Amino acid sequence: MVTLLFSKECGFCFGVQNAVKIAENAQNAYTYGEIIHNEYVTEKLRKRGVTAIDSLENLRQGDTLILRSHGVSKATYEKAKIRA
């Protein structure tokens, strides 16, 4: 038999909570990669019009881009700024 131990407190860290809240309030936005490794949450966001992308090439001026809570490289950040 396996014994399972659960923390009294569990859930998402502040950065993930914040990123998900921003995505939930966005309309037709993009995330650079999945902002959380949780299929339930990413599917819920997808149904709300938040699409995960792996390339910045198809972004147009005026599009909303949400960066992952664990960050991106400086080069990716700069490329995103140029496309804004």
Side-chain angles (χ1 to χ4, degrees):
M1 179 196 283
V2 174
T3 301
L4 298 175
L5 302 175
F6 294 95
S7 172
K8 183 177 178 184
E9 309 233 354
C10 61
F12 305 133
C13 70
F14 174 77
V16 170
Q17 286 177 352
N18 192 43
V20 170
K21 184 185 294 185
I22 289 169
E24 287 177 336
N25 291 319
Q27 299 269 337
N28 299 317
Y30 298 94
T31 62
Y32 187 67
E34 294 181 345
I35 59 171
I36 182 172
H37 301 294
N38 180 308
E39 291 178 29
Y40 172 77
V41 174
T42 54
E43 179 62 19
K44 182 174 139 185
L45 293 173
R46 189 190 63 72
K47 287 180 179 177
R48 296 180 102 162
V50 179
T51 305
I53 60 172
D54 293 320
S55 171
L56 302 176
E57 300 307 315
N58 293 324
L59 287 177
R60 295 168 300 190
Q61 191 169 20
D63 284 344
T64 298
L65 177 66
I66 302 166
L67 299 177
R68 298 178 281 228
S69 56
H70 58 280
V72 296
S73 69
K74 184 174 181 176
T76 298
Y77 181 78
E78 292 300 322
K79 189 185 281 188
K81 276 180 31 179
I82 289 170
R83 296 186 98 37

